[in-house]
Amino acid sequence: MSVSMRDLDPAFQGAGQKAGIEVWRIENFSPAPIPKSSIGKFFTGDSYIVLKTTALKTGALRHDIHYWLGKDTSQDEAGTAAVKTVELDAALGGRAVQYREVQGHETEKFLSYFKPCIIPQEGGVASGFKHVEAEEHVTRLFVCRGKHVVHVPFARSSLNHDDIYILDTKSKIFQFNGSNSSIQERAKALEVVQYIKDTYHDGTCEVATVEDGRLMADADSGEFWGFFGGFAPLPRKTANAEDKTVTFDIKKLFCVEKGKANPVEADTLEREMLDTNKCYILDCGLEVFVWMGRTTSLDDRKVASGAAEEMIRSSERPKSQMIRIIEGFETVPFRSKFDTWTQETNTTVSEDSRGRVAALLQRQGVNVRGLMKAAPPKEELEAFIDCTGNLQVWRVNGQEKILLQAADHSKFYSGDCYVFQYSYPGEEKEEVLIGTWFGKQSVEEERAFAVSMASKMVESMKFVPAQARIYEGKEPVQFFVIMQSFIVFKGGISSGYKKYIAEKEVDDDTYNENGLALFRIQGSGPDNMQAIQVDPVASSLNSSYCYILHNDSSVFTWMGNLATSTDQELVERQLDLIKPNLQTRAQKEGSESEQFWELLGGKTEYSSQKLTKEPERDPHLFSCTFTKDILKVTEIYNFTQDDLMTEDIFIVDCHSEIFVWVGQEVVPKNKLLALTIGEKFIEKDSLLEKLSPEAPIYVIMEGGEPSFFTRFFTSWDSSKSSMHGNSFQRKLKIVKNGGTPVADKPKRRTPASYGGRASVPEKSQQRSRTMSLSPDRVRVRGRSPAFNALAATFENQNARNLSTPPPVVRKLYPRSVTPDSARLAPKSSAIASRSALFEKFKTPPQEPLIPKSIKASPKTPESPAPESSSKGQEEKKDNDKEEEKSMSSKIVSLTIQEDAKEGVEDEEDLPAYPYERLKTTSPDPVTDIDVTRREAYLSSEEFKEKFGVTKEAFYKLPKWKQNKFKMAVQLF
């Protein structure tokens, strides 16, 4: 499409350069920008253009353009808005989707920009209209129909049993719930009530709800009906012109030529019918699409849009929505209308067009920073899960499960299935993830048993844990971080796998530590590294990776030319797990020894392309209805936490992973079907993206949302899920409390101790998890306040940042103790360990810190006079209190000193190197350094610049805090 400056309105210069919403109102047949403070306010006599710019994960900007037509706008203004929308699209590079919005019949996407609703005001700038100024409050009646809020006549005849109404009076807002309305509809209407309260009453008026059919049961009902002259039965709802919908489902294709829409005769619709040099109209009844070929001119596009407008107007379909689409950027609803569609999105062409427009504007002196091609985002893997928790792993063996020792937690076989349970400190409480892992060669019977076992574990814990279903080769980063050093061996050792290969009469290629084996090493760092066994042939090599090859006592490492220094570091660490204490022979690509190629059966061609996983794109939220094995989904645009209803099931789809969110009030039967619903959603492929059937599926229960789920929401308030009642009851509490959630029960952190693991373990040291159980609290009568303060220092988990384990807990069990042995240890041992910590800080001359409760009168010497005895007892109590108080302060001080001592030990005199040479991706990396403490080699100035704190302050932190800080920053 050719673009010239005469086609670009000056009002659009600089538009769409950053994420957000921009609005123009048509004034004197030209677009005039609306100030940010007025965005969301619409007048019935005006026409508007709304631009929504979204920043995608790819770094690109997506544009959606809407032109909104008020019910009283003039035909000329409406036509101007339609034409100017095409011009705005041209200014943005010609790839935006354009929507025609008519007051009262707006698309859900448009309404999502202005949640919870838009309430157009009377007035306008067109001839004969003036914007209505704020005057004396006028009582108004609104009806909530789906996502639309419509102003209706203030009369009893407007009410019915099916809808929800909001009566806005001067001092109180009433919500009338029709008896046939749903809980979810009532909850959504309360958001409108909150909006009216904040917008028109400065958040100070009262709010009341009236239930249809309760007659005069309470004062609020009586007051409500008083505005209508008293109570009287409501008539049944009657259909009117506004309620009539276009129910017919048609698909008629028209080709626009010389301003006329000519029918295209065809039995089926196929992508090949659309010519890139022409514009087409696809009439689907409620939706009318205008498809514009990539090479069509701006005038052709304007003519096609006008033809579609006339088609809607002549057929008297006010509720029909018109959507204009550019070739290569077709929406899912449009593509779904065709029987066959081969997506041929060519973003390069679009970016070139975008660049040409930017160059043209730049020569005119316009700032075009936002129009230039976006730079690819830096690849950053973040797990959003604490890696210091406790892990248990079971291998499925036929119809039984076998608990693995800690040393084998991260060693899986491709022919087996595994179930894992991971407990870790969350933001507010202990969180649990229970999941299944299916090897590529595992059998269906064992997969089914693994799912059944995991589901029963979740059910036994009252559906609190999150559940995951993971396939080999599709593992999410959360799984790798939990496993840390993950190894996948070929073959299997379960009875199901052995039976399978016996029946198929195939060779058993199960890994033999003394045989020939080749491992591909991959990962992003010591906390996320994998060794995947592949076929021991040269074609399995890849220039982007490092490999380990062994045959009995011969061990080779191979480094591809495109591999990084980080990859080489991971090889060294994985060697300690696969073939420790053996001499290795390093092989560089291009200079391999003959023996190396002989072990691989000779040299052949191999790939140099790095393996890529399914990309995680911007998330989409869908509400789900699952009945009679049929799944129906509805997309929710620009979603927030408030869109999640406790009675329903929702799915967050980010392509590489699927999250099924289950509300607390969902019926138990559907809770058990949550994983099945996730699988059905993948089969349905609502976004036509060819979702992998092996994509990871998470089942998340309301109230137990982990950070790797809540990250998809701009903000998350966990107190909302701690409220009781259904969606309507919860939101009513929030509205009446001034918009603040009221938790029925305060959340308490589950007392739990974590043995933990070093964030970056030393090389040549095999890591193992340790588990420490929380000792039972001993309740002692008569504790003084000073003693309670002392106990709180040790027992209250909130007194310490629990994202990593407290240093004192780490001493309870040595690293050699497995989780199983720790779990089975007597509680008395744990209590004794805790008591030993208390005894450590005792001062010899003082009395025991924990006084024993006196249950019986002990034998005592002859008592003095009652008065002097009483006085002596009081003095002794005072002394005890002072001693306890003093001891509490000392212990707290010593504990803090012990924490700080961990960090001080790391501050040494080390040589300083530039940051660029310390990075793992540096072309000239520093050698002979401790790679687990790269930050220690930065100069003081560069350390402060990169970390934001001084080097001295950093090393005064406890080591566990240092590791947490480094994991968050990820500089190297």
Side-chain angles (χ1 to χ4, degrees):
M1 179 184 69
S2 60
V3 181
S4 64
M5 281 304 298
R6 66 181 177 82
D7 297 322
L8 304 176
D9 195 290
F12 296 142
Q13 291 187 1
Q17 296 188 20
K18 58 182 180 180
I21 296 177
E22 299 169 81
V23 182
W24 296 263
R25 182 173 58 224
I26 302 301
E27 299 179 4
N28 298 322
F29 306 107
S30 296
I34 295 294
K36 287 187 177 181
S37 59
S38 297
I39 290 179
K41 296 179 181 178
F42 295 88
F43 290 87
T44 61
D46 290 335
S47 296
Y48 297 81
I49 296 175
V50 177
L51 170 63
K52 176 70 164 90
T53 304
T54 306
L56 303 177
K57 285 184 176 292
T58 59
L61 296 176
R62 185 188 69 208
H63 298 105
D64 292 285
I65 308 175
H66 307 254
Y67 62 101
W68 185 88
L69 309 177
K71 65 182 180 66
D72 298 320
T73 190
S74 67
Q75 193 63 43
D76 290 338
E77 280 192 352
T80 301
V83 171
K84 292 298 180 182
T85 298
V86 178
E87 293 181 11
L88 176 58
D89 173 53
L92 296 172
R95 63 176 185 177
V97 180
Q98 306 158 45
Y99 302 83
R100 174 181 179 267
E101 309 286 353
V102 178
Q103 180 182 341
H105 307 296
E106 296 89 351
T107 62
E108 291 194 9
K109 174 173 279 192
F110 178 80
L111 293 175
S112 71
Y113 305 153
F114 310 103
K115 288 183 177 181
C117 66
I118 60 171
I119 301 179
Q121 303 176 46
E122 295 294 329
V125 296
S127 175
F129 284 93
K130 296 293 181 184
H131 288 166
V132 178
E133 300 296 332
E135 298 176 355
E136 184 75 15
H137 187 277
V138 178
T139 299
R140 299 176 297 173
L141 183 65
F142 301 95
V143 61
C144 299
R145 293 172 179 157
K147 300 289 194 305
H148 298 86
V149 178
V150 182
H151 188 191
V152 295
F154 176 32
R156 184 200 308 276
S157 58
S158 297
L159 304 177
N160 62 61
H161 299 292
D162 299 324
D163 295 322
I164 298 172
Y165 294 83
I166 297 173
L167 179 63
D168 178 21
T169 70
K170 184 176 182 179
S171 59
K172 185 181 285 189
I173 303 175
F174 297 88
Q175 176 172 315
F176 175 80
N177 299 322
S179 57
N180 297 331
S181 61
S182 67
I183 291 175
Q184 294 90 326
E185 290 172 333
R186 298 177 185 188
K188 279 298 178 185
L190 279 173
E191 295 180 6
V192 179
V193 170
Q194 183 70 55
Y195 170 79
I196 294 174
K197 177 182 177 181
D198 294 339
T199 306
Y200 301 103
H201 298 271
D202 296 325
T204 58
C205 70
E206 295 183 54
V207 173
T209 59
V210 178
E211 297 298 326
D212 182 15
R214 284 195 180 176
L215 303 181
M216 307 289 286
D218 54 63
D220 289 333
S221 296
E223 187 177 355
F224 172 80
W225 289 112
F227 284 98
F228 296 92
F231 174 80
L234 297 180
R236 288 188 175 183
K237 182 177 180 180
T238 57
N240 53 41
E242 288 292 313
D243 296 324
K244 291 179 180 178
T245 60
V246 182
T247 56
F248 54 87
D249 184 18
I250 61 173
K251 289 192 297 185
K252 293 182 179 179
L253 185 65
F254 299 85
C255 180
V256 181
E257 295 179 309
K258 298 180 180 180
K260 293 185 178 180
N262 302 315
V264 177
E265 301 296 335
D267 296 330
T268 59
L269 291 180
E270 298 180 0
R271 167 65 180 85
E272 291 72 20
M273 299 169 62
L274 305 178
D275 187 344
T276 187
N277 301 309
K278 297 179 180 180
C279 294
Y280 294 83
I281 297 174
L282 179 61
D283 185 2
C284 299
L286 283 174
E287 297 172 311
V288 177
F289 297 93
V290 180
W291 185 89
M292 297 171 281
R294 188 181 295 125
T295 60
T296 54
S297 67
L298 187 60
D299 289 336
D300 289 339
R301 299 181 182 186
K302 290 180 179 179
V303 169
S305 299
E309 290 268 9
E310 180 60 29
M311 182 179 295
I312 293 174
R313 191 181 307 112
S314 62
S315 58
E316 297 183 352
R317 290 182 285 167
K319 298 184 71 172
S320 292
Q321 300 165 350
M322 187 177 76
I323 304 169
R324 299 193 293 233
I325 300 169
I326 308 298
E327 180 185 5
F329 297 92
E330 294 85 357
T331 61
V332 171
F334 178 79
R335 286 187 280 136
S336 66
K337 307 298 181 184
F338 287 74
D339 297 282
T340 59
W341 184 277
T342 304
Q343 182 68 359
E344 298 177 354
T345 301
N346 191 339
T347 55
T348 304
V349 174
S350 177
E351 291 292 356
D352 291 343
S353 174
R354 188 180 176 88
R356 288 197 297 271
V357 174
L360 177 63
L361 294 177
Q362 194 170 32
R363 289 196 295 271
Q364 302 297 324
V366 179
N367 178 13
V368 295
R369 179 171 53 87
L371 287 177
M372 301 305 289
K373 184 175 180 179
K378 182 180 179 181
E379 184 180 359
E380 293 183 359
L381 293 175
E382 190 170 358
F384 297 94
I385 192 170
D386 194 292
C387 66
T388 62
N390 296 325
L391 176 67
Q392 286 183 295
V393 181
W394 294 265
R395 188 182 70 248
V396 175
N397 188 46
Q399 295 297 306
E400 62 178 3
K401 58 182 181 180
I402 299 175
L403 180 66
L404 301 184
Q405 296 296 318
D408 297 326
H409 278 175
S410 301
K411 298 178 180 179
F412 286 16
Y413 285 84
S414 186
D416 295 341
C417 295
Y418 297 81
V419 178
F420 63 90
Q421 177 175 323
Y422 182 62
S423 306
Y424 61 98
E427 293 182 355
E428 295 184 348
K429 62 181 185 302
E430 182 186 52
E431 295 180 355
V432 180
L433 175 63
I434 295 175
T436 55
W437 183 91
F438 301 150
K440 290 181 179 179
Q441 300 172 282
S442 59
V443 297
E444 190 59 39
E445 292 79 4
E446 291 187 339
R447 292 182 181 184
F449 179 79
V451 171
S452 174
M453 174 185 167
S455 299
K456 289 178 180 178
M457 292 168 65
V458 172
E459 187 177 1
S460 67
M461 300 175 71
K462 299 182 179 179
F463 297 100
V464 171
Q467 185 176 353
R469 186 213 67 177
I470 299 170
Y471 280 87
E472 178 186 352
K474 299 290 183 180
E475 297 92 348
V477 64
Q478 290 88 359
F479 178 81
F480 284 147
V481 168
I482 291 172
M483 296 296 171
Q484 295 193 346
S485 300
F486 186 57
I487 304 175
V488 178
F489 297 116
K490 295 177 72 68
I493 56 178
S494 69
S495 60
Y497 176 77
K498 296 299 183 184
K499 179 181 178 182
Y500 170 79
I501 62 174
E503 291 177 351
K504 297 295 182 179
E505 297 182 353
V506 295
D507 294 335
D508 187 356
D509 59 352
T510 301
Y511 172 72
N512 180 356
E513 63 180 6
N514 296 319
L516 178 64
L518 179 66
F519 293 88
R520 182 180 68 246
I521 310 303
Q522 60 192 39
S524 60
D527 288 333
N528 175 10
M529 58 181 180
Q530 303 89 48
I532 311 299
Q533 187 179 359
V534 295
D535 293 332
V537 293
S539 59
S540 296
L541 298 176
N542 188 310
S543 300
S544 297
Y545 295 92
C546 292
Y547 290 78
I548 295 174
L549 174 67
H550 75 70
N551 185 25
D552 196 12
S553 59
S554 300
V555 183
F556 294 86
T557 61
W558 185 85
M559 184 174 182
N561 288 331
L562 301 179
T564 66
S565 57
T566 300
D567 296 327
Q568 192 171 13
E569 178 186 338
L570 298 185
V571 167
E572 297 298 321
R573 293 178 180 274
Q574 290 287 14
L575 274 172
D576 294 333
L577 301 176
I578 298 174
K579 279 292 183 180
N581 305 320
L582 286 181
Q583 186 68 31
T584 61
R585 298 172 59 182
Q587 307 285 305
K588 180 72 176 176
E589 182 178 6
S591 58
E592 300 88 349
S593 65
E594 291 185 5
Q595 184 182 359
F596 176 81
W597 291 121
E598 287 176 1
L599 289 176
L600 294 179
K603 185 176 181 180
T604 59
E605 291 187 0
Y606 49 83
S607 174
S608 62
Q609 295 294 322
K610 197 174 185 69
L611 303 177
T612 58
K613 287 185 174 293
E614 292 288 343
E616 181 184 281
R617 52 111 173 97
D618 293 85
H620 293 250
L621 179 67
F622 296 86
S623 62
C624 302
T625 303
F626 189 63
T627 54
K628 297 181 179 179
D629 207 35
I630 297 177
L631 178 66
K632 295 181 180 179
V633 298
T634 303
E635 184 169 5
I636 299 174
Y637 301 98
N638 297 292
F639 59 85
T640 65
Q641 181 185 358
D642 289 332
D643 289 311
L644 303 177
M645 295 288 180
T646 187
E647 299 81 15
D648 295 329
I649 294 177
F650 293 82
I651 287 180
V652 175
D653 171 17
C654 54
H655 189 69
S656 60
E657 297 171 294
I658 302 297
F659 296 82
V660 183
W661 183 90
V662 183
Q664 293 177 357
E665 299 296 318
V666 170
V667 295
K669 177 184 176 182
N670 285 345
K671 284 184 179 180
L672 297 173
L673 294 174
L675 190 60
T676 301
I677 290 174
E679 294 171 342
K680 291 287 184 181
F681 178 84
I682 291 178
E683 292 177 10
K684 192 178 184 68
D685 195 14
S686 299
L687 296 179
L688 305 181
E689 293 184 322
K690 297 181 179 179
L691 290 175
S692 169
E694 297 181 352
I697 298 177
Y698 294 92
V699 176
I700 310 294
M701 295 296 171
E702 182 183 13
E705 296 88 352
S707 297
F708 58 82
F709 173 79
T710 59
R711 67 190 174 103
F712 298 118
F713 297 79
T714 53
S715 63
W716 188 270
D717 186 352
S718 58
S719 63
K720 291 182 177 179
S721 60
S722 66
M723 299 176 68
H724 291 170
N726 57 40
S727 298
F728 173 68
Q729 293 167 339
R730 293 183 186 186
K731 292 199 174 181
L732 183 59
K733 290 180 183 178
I734 294 175
V735 171
K736 290 191 173 183
N737 194 47
T740 305
V742 182
D744 294 281
K745 289 184 179 180
K747 284 193 175 183
R748 294 191 305 169
R749 192 176 186 109
T750 304
S753 300
Y754 297 92
R757 303 167 295 186
S759 178
V760 183
E762 292 296 328
K763 211 179 89 165
S764 304
Q765 178 182 4
Q766 184 170 341
R767 290 179 294 181
S768 64
R769 296 172 186 268
T770 61
M771 179 185 297
S772 55
L773 302 178
S774 295
D776 296 335
R777 294 185 178 184
V778 181
R779 300 178 181 268
V780 181
R781 294 178 180 268
R783 284 183 170 181
S784 68
F787 183 87
N788 289 333
L790 172 65
T793 304
F794 291 90
E795 293 184 349
N796 182 11
Q797 300 289 345
N798 289 324
R800 182 185 296 275
N801 180 357
L802 283 186
S803 59
T804 51
V808 292
V809 177
R810 195 178 300 132
K811 298 178 182 179
L812 293 179
Y813 295 101
R815 290 181 63 86
S816 60
V817 177
T818 66
D820 304 319
S821 60
R823 181 170 58 86
L824 298 175
K827 288 186 177 180
S828 58
S829 174
I831 296 174
S833 301
R834 181 67 63 90
S835 300
L837 291 174
F838 278 79
E839 292 291 327
K840 178 180 178 180
F841 298 101
K842 285 179 58 178
T843 305
Q846 292 179 334
E847 294 294 324
L849 184 60
I850 305 179
K852 296 182 179 180
S853 299
I854 301 176
K855 297 185 178 180
S857 300
K859 293 182 179 180
T860 58
E862 198 168 328
S863 300
E867 183 177 349
S868 61
S869 175
S870 176
K871 183 177 180 180
Q873 289 178 359
E874 290 178 1
E875 290 177 353
K876 189 175 185 306
K877 286 182 179 179
D878 292 338
N879 290 336
D880 289 344
K881 290 181 180 180
E882 289 299 322
E883 289 174 359
E884 290 179 4
K885 185 175 181 181
S886 174
M887 182 60 65
S888 176
S889 300
K890 288 181 180 179
I891 292 179
V892 172
S893 175
L894 287 169
T895 304
I896 295 174
Q897 291 175 15
E898 184 181 355
D899 287 358
K901 200 177 296 181
E902 287 189 5
V904 174
E905 292 173 356
D906 284 339
E907 194 172 10
E908 306 166 357
D909 292 329
L910 297 173
Y913 296 101
Y915 168 69
E916 293 300 326
R917 292 194 63 196
L918 290 170
K919 293 196 302 184
T920 57
T921 57
S922 173
D924 182 25
V926 179
T927 58
D928 298 328
I929 63 171
D930 184 353
V931 294
T932 67
R933 298 178 57 228
R934 295 178 185 271
E935 77 288 342
Y937 298 91
L938 289 171
S939 65
S940 299
E941 295 77 11
E942 202 165 12
F943 189 101
K944 186 174 182 181
E945 177 187 346
K946 298 297 182 183
F947 281 83
V949 296
T950 65
K951 206 169 186 178
E952 181 182 6
F954 176 82
Y955 282 112
K956 284 184 179 179
L957 293 173
K959 192 166 185 178
W960 60 274
K961 283 191 176 181
Q962 293 177 22
N963 292 334
K964 184 68 176 178
F965 192 87
K966 288 192 291 184
M967 288 175 62
V969 177
Q970 292 186 349
L971 282 176
F972 300 98

